[in-house]
Amino acid sequence: MSDVFENVMDLAKRRGFIWQTSECYGAVAGFIDYGPLGAMMKRRIEDIWRNFYVIEEGYYEIECPTIAQEAVFIASGHVKGFSDKMCQCPHCKEYLRADHVADGGGISGASTMTNEALAAAIAACKCPACEEVLGTVEVYNFNLMFATTIGPGSQRIGYLRPETAQGMFVDFARLLRFYRDTLPFGAVQIGKSYRNEISPRQGMIRLREFTQAEAEIFVHPDKKTHPKFARYADYTMPLLTYVHQQNGEEAVTMSMRVAVDKGVIANEYVAYYVALTHDLLVTIGVKPDRLRFRQHLPDERAHYATDCWDAEVFSQRFGWVETVGIADRTDYDLNAHAKQSGTPMTVFIQYTEPRKENRRRIIPNMSVLGKQYRQKAKAVFAALEHATPTADGADVVVDGETIHIPANLFEVRDEVVDIRGEEIVPHVIEPSYGIDRMCYAVLEQAYDEDTVDGEKRTVLRFSPRVAPVQVAVFPLMTRDGLDTIADEITHTLKRKGILAEYDDSGAIGRRYRRQDEIGTPFAITVDYETKETRTVTVRDRDSMKQVRIGIDTLPQTISALVNGDMKFTSLPAHQNL
Ligand code: GAP
C-alpha cells in the first residue's frame, strides 16, 4: 500500500469527509472543513465522548463563548507564556517552529533551551521548507493566541480561546452552586479552540481552529481517590513512564491499581481517566497496539502539574501523535482566577464533627476608647482585635501611627470555639481530548485495501458506532416492486434514527464498493426472495458474509449492530449466500 496519509486524505476529499477550507480562494493552512460524511463521523465520535463523560461520569456539559476578555488569559498565563519558539528561514522566508527544526535535525532538549542556545543549535539544520542549511537565525517567542477587540473603539482586548478549559474555571462559583456545594464534581465542554500555529503542515494534526473535548473535575486536594475506581482498577495497559523514557526502556504493562500503588501514576483520579481514555479510544476504533500512554518528563510538565500523561496514537505518517492529555493541574487555575478577579474560588468543607479551638478575643472598653479616639475609634477597635497584648497593654498601628492602649482599657478573653469546617481550594483533574486528531486516527486506522473478485477494494473499516452512514439499502432491480420495498425499509430505519442510504444505481457489486469506501458497515439487499418470504440479505462490510433475516426484525437488528450491542457473527445462520 502506498502512503496511507495520501490515500486517506485523497479518499477523505473525494468522498466528502474533509477538505481544505475556502479552496476557491486558495486554502489557508491550518483550517479544514468537515464535509457531509466527515461532519457526521465527527458528531458520532463526540457523542461517544459525551456518553462516557456526561452520561456515565455525570459531568454536565456547558457551552461558553469562544472569545473571552483579556483578564481571563492574563490569569491563565496565556498572555504571558503561551508561545512557541519561532524563527524565519533566511533563504525562503518561511516562518518555522525552531523546536521542530531542532527535532528534525536530531537535536534533543529544544524545549528547555534559551532562544539564543536554540538559534545556535539549529544553525546547521536544514529548513524543512526549502532544504537550505539555515545558518544564522534569530529565535523568538511567538504568542499563539488570536487577538481581537470587543465592541466598537477597539479598546477592549479579547482573545479567541486557545483551550475550552478556562470557561469551566471562570464558571467555578456557579458550577459549585449547581452541584450543591459538594466535591467532587465536574463540567465538560466540547467546542472550538484556536491557536495561531506557526507552520501547520500536518493535515488534521496541527490546526489553527480545532475541536477540543475537555473535562475539568474538581476534587478535594487530600482525597484523590476516585469513588468508582473499582471500574478500572484491573484495567491493564502498557505505560511508558518518565523513568522508562530516561533509561531508554520500553513501556511496561500493568493494571491501574498496581500503577497507583507503586506511585507510577500520581493518584486514582489520573489513573481512572488514563484507563477511561484507553477504553474510549478503543471504542471509537483505535487499535490497542497503536496506542500508548506516555508520562510527561519532569521538564516537559507544566510547573504546577503533579502528573501528566498523554495518550499517543501511532500514525504511519506522523509517528506517535499526542491525542489526549490527562493532567492533575492542582489548584493552580482556581488560585490564579481568584487572584485576578478578586472572587474567592473555594469550597466550604464541613467537618463531620465540629473541632474545638482555643481563641483569644480582645474586647475593648468602647466608651473610654470611643471618647478618646473619636473618628479613629473604629480603626483602633479593629486593630486591637489582631494585637498581641502584654501585661502593660497593646500597641496598634492606625494610619501609620503607633498607638499604645493601656491594659486597663481592654479585656483579654480565652474562649473555646466550635469550628465547623474550612474553606479549601479544590484541585483540578483534566482529561483534554483533541477531536480532530481522534478523527484522523480513526480514518487512518480504518483505511484498508484488499482484493475482491480480482479487483482492488478500498474499505474504511470503521467501528459501526462511528460510521457516518450506518446501513445501505439496495433493491436488486428497480422493478417488480423491489425498489418500493427497499424504499419502505429505508424509511422505517430512518424513523428509528438509523442513517440509512437508499441506492439503486449501477450493478450491485459497484454499490457495495461505494459503501465499503465510506465505511458503511452493513448493506441490505432486497431481492426476489424478499417478495416470497419477507426476508432480505444483510451483508457485513468486513467479512462480506451475508445473512437472511426477516424485514420485521430489521430495525432492532440493525440498531443492535450499529450500537455495538450485537456482533454480526452472532446473527443466526450467517453464511456466504
Ligand atoms: N487544556 C489543556 C490543553 O489544551 P493541550 O495538550 O494543549 O492541552 C489538548 O491540548 C489536546 O488538544 C491535544 O492532546 C491535541 O489532541 C489537541 N490539540 C492541541 N493543539 C492542537 C492543534 N493545533 N490542532 C489540533 N489539535 C490540537
Side-chain angles (χ1 to χ4, degrees):
M1 213 190 297
S2 49
D3 187 290
V4 174
F5 174 76
E6 305 290 347
N7 290 338
V8 168
M9 292 323 275
D10 171 66
L11 187 153
K13 203 183 283 185
R14 208 165 25 81
R15 296 305 311 270
F17 283 88
I18 287 128
W19 49 69
Q20 283 191 309
T21 195
S22 56
E23 277 174 324
C24 60
Y25 288 104
V28 182
F31 297 95
I32 53 166
D33 287 352
Y34 283 87
L37 296 183
M40 184 56 80
M41 180 191 81
K42 179 169 181 268
R43 204 71 67 230
R44 295 205 194 287
I45 289 174
E46 289 171 0
D47 283 343
I48 291 173
W49 192 94
R50 279 192 179 90
N51 240 37
F52 272 84
Y53 278 93
V54 183
I55 310 282
E56 289 199 39
E57 294 299 292
Y59 303 145
Y60 281 91
E61 188 174 353
I62 65 168
E63 199 175 311
C64 303
T66 54
I67 294 178
Q69 53 186 295
E70 191 180 27
V72 172
F73 299 114
I74 290 176
S76 67
H78 285 94
V79 168
K80 208 166 155 203
F82 192 58
S83 51
D84 277 341
K85 292 178 188 299
M86 184 167 82
C87 65
Q88 190 178 20
C89 171
H91 314 289
C92 67
K93 308 293 177 211
E94 180 85 7
Y95 288 103
L96 306 167
R97 267 208 41 194
D99 53 332
H100 286 179
V101 174
D103 290 346
I107 298 162
S108 55
S111 60
T112 53
M113 286 183 197
T114 63
N115 290 351
E116 293 71 28
L118 187 53
I122 60 173
C125 295
K126 282 186 179 172
C127 165
C130 70
E131 308 248 302
E132 291 285 328
V133 173
L134 282 174
T136 308
V137 287
E138 190 193 344
V139 171
Y140 48 97
N141 295 336
F142 174 74
N143 194 297
L144 297 184
M145 280 198 297
F146 284 97
T148 185
T149 53
I150 302 171
S154 308
Q155 280 171 0
R156 202 152 188 213
I157 296 172
Y159 292 98
L160 273 72
R161 65 182 180 193
E163 58 177 8
T164 67
Q166 297 305 321
M168 274 87 82
F169 300 141
V170 298
D171 278 356
F172 173 77
R174 295 232 170 253
L175 289 167
L176 177 64
R177 233 160 290 144
F178 173 83
Y179 284 102
R180 284 182 285 171
D181 300 293
T182 313
L183 291 177
F185 69 84
V188 309
Q189 198 164 185
I190 300 185
K192 294 284 192 181
S193 293
Y194 302 84
R195 297 182 190 178
N196 201 2
E197 298 284 352
I198 293 168
S199 51
R201 277 194 238 104
Q202 296 161 293
M204 299 165 72
I205 303 296
R206 196 163 298 282
L207 295 168
R208 289 178 165 140
E209 175 175 329
F210 55 99
T211 301
Q212 285 187 313
E214 297 194 290
E216 308 302 328
I217 302 144
F218 300 95
V219 303
H220 192 296
D222 305 330
K223 291 184 190 149
K224 291 186 180 169
T225 46
H226 195 292
K228 291 186 287 177
F229 187 65
R231 178 180 171 196
Y232 285 121
D234 297 326
Y235 201 97
T236 300
M237 72 179 82
L239 297 173
L240 188 61
T241 66
Y242 77 86
V243 180
H244 293 135
Q245 293 166 67
Q246 284 169 339
N247 298 341
E249 294 162 356
E250 294 290 304
V252 170
T253 298
M254 65 179 91
S255 74
M256 295 302 101
R257 165 55 61 217
V258 171
V260 174
D261 288 350
K262 284 191 164 174
V264 168
I265 300 184
N267 56 59
E268 283 189 4
Y269 264 99
V270 175
Y272 183 93
Y273 290 105
V274 163
L276 184 147
T277 299
H278 189 281
D279 191 4
L280 193 156
L281 291 175
V282 171
T283 302
I284 64 169
V286 174
K287 295 176 179 130
D289 61 354
R290 293 203 211 159
L291 174 60
R292 71 175 191 190
F293 282 75
R294 191 184 67 80
Q295 190 171 35
H296 278 203
L297 294 160
D299 63 7
E300 184 186 359
R301 205 165 57 207
H303 63 93
Y304 49 82
T306 52
D307 198 10
C308 189
W309 289 80
D310 284 345
E312 295 183 333
V313 178
F314 189 75
S315 153
Q316 294 194 22
R317 165 67 78 100
F318 304 111
W320 288 105
V321 176
E322 177 209 326
T323 305
V324 184
I326 300 141
D328 180 337
R329 298 177 64 119
T330 66
D331 54 6
Y332 175 82
D333 307 277
L334 292 182
N335 277 335
H337 284 295
K339 192 164 166 222
Q340 180 78 26
S341 67
T343 308
M345 301 216 177
T346 55
V347 182
F348 183 75
I349 305 289
Q350 196 163 338
Y351 300 140
T352 13
E353 286 291 321
R355 290 183 193 163
K356 304 278 180 210
E357 214 169 78
N358 293 326
R359 285 264 169 97
R360 171 163 285 191
R361 278 180 65 206
I362 299 177
I363 299 151
N365 184 331
M366 301 258 197
S367 57
V368 178
L369 288 171
K371 270 188 213 134
Q372 200 168 329
Y373 291 103
R374 296 180 184 275
Q375 300 97 318
K376 279 191 185 169
K378 223 169 154 188
V380 170
F381 296 155
L384 202 50
E385 262 183 51
H386 304 286
T388 313
T390 61
D392 184 32
D395 286 344
V396 294
V397 181
V398 173
D399 295 339
E401 180 195 350
T402 303
I403 302 170
H404 180 75
I405 312 287
N408 62 340
L409 292 185
F410 60 85
E411 183 194 338
V412 177
R413 244 185 240 167
D414 285 318
E415 297 173 341
V416 177
V417 289
D418 278 350
I419 307 292
R420 304 198 165 276
E422 63 185 329
E423 295 286 343
I424 59 122
V425 181
H427 281 202
V428 173
I429 311 292
E430 179 196 65
S432 169
Y433 293 65
I435 295 287
D436 310 87
R437 291 187 185 179
M438 288 158 73
C439 288
Y440 178 72
V442 165
L443 276 168
E444 189 189 290
Q445 297 201 13
Y447 186 90
D448 198 12
E449 290 169 8
D450 57 11
T451 305
V452 176
D453 299 334
E455 267 188 50
K456 183 180 110 176
R457 174 175 85 133
T458 302
V459 52
L460 286 176
R461 299 195 191 277
F462 284 143
S463 146
R465 292 185 63 181
V466 305
V469 177
Q470 294 167 312
V471 63
V473 186
F474 309 145
L476 190 61
M477 300 285 171
T478 49
R479 57 173 188 261
D480 305 324
L482 301 187
D483 46 351
T484 313
I485 300 172
D487 195 45
E488 279 166 8
I489 289 172
T490 311
H491 183 66
T492 309
L493 293 172
K494 283 183 174 181
R495 289 198 68 179
K496 294 279 173 208
I498 296 165
L499 207 162
E501 200 171 275
Y502 173 92
D503 185 6
D504 63 11
S505 98
I508 201 88
R510 287 273 148 253
R511 286 185 250 168
Y512 282 142
R513 290 304 95 79
R514 278 203 291 271
Q515 294 296 335
D516 290 342
E517 203 183 34
I518 62 166
T520 307
F522 308 106
I524 296 167
T525 302
V526 175
D527 54 17
Y528 284 99
E529 206 179 318
T530 306
K531 293 178 76 173
E532 313 277 314
T533 59
R534 278 193 65 74
T535 60
V536 291
T537 63
V538 178
R539 171 193 180 263
D540 173 50
R541 174 200 64 208
D542 293 339
S543 63
M544 291 182 289
K545 291 192 169 155
Q546 299 185 37
V547 292
R548 190 164 270 288
I549 67 169
I551 288 181
D552 299 340
T553 64
L554 269 179
Q556 69 261 36
T557 305
I558 299 294
S559 252
L561 288 172
V562 297
N563 292 336
D565 294 337
M566 188 197 271
K567 292 237 173 302
F568 184 80
T569 44
S570 59
L571 284 175
H574 83 273
Q575 55 189 293
N576 246 337
L577 290 175

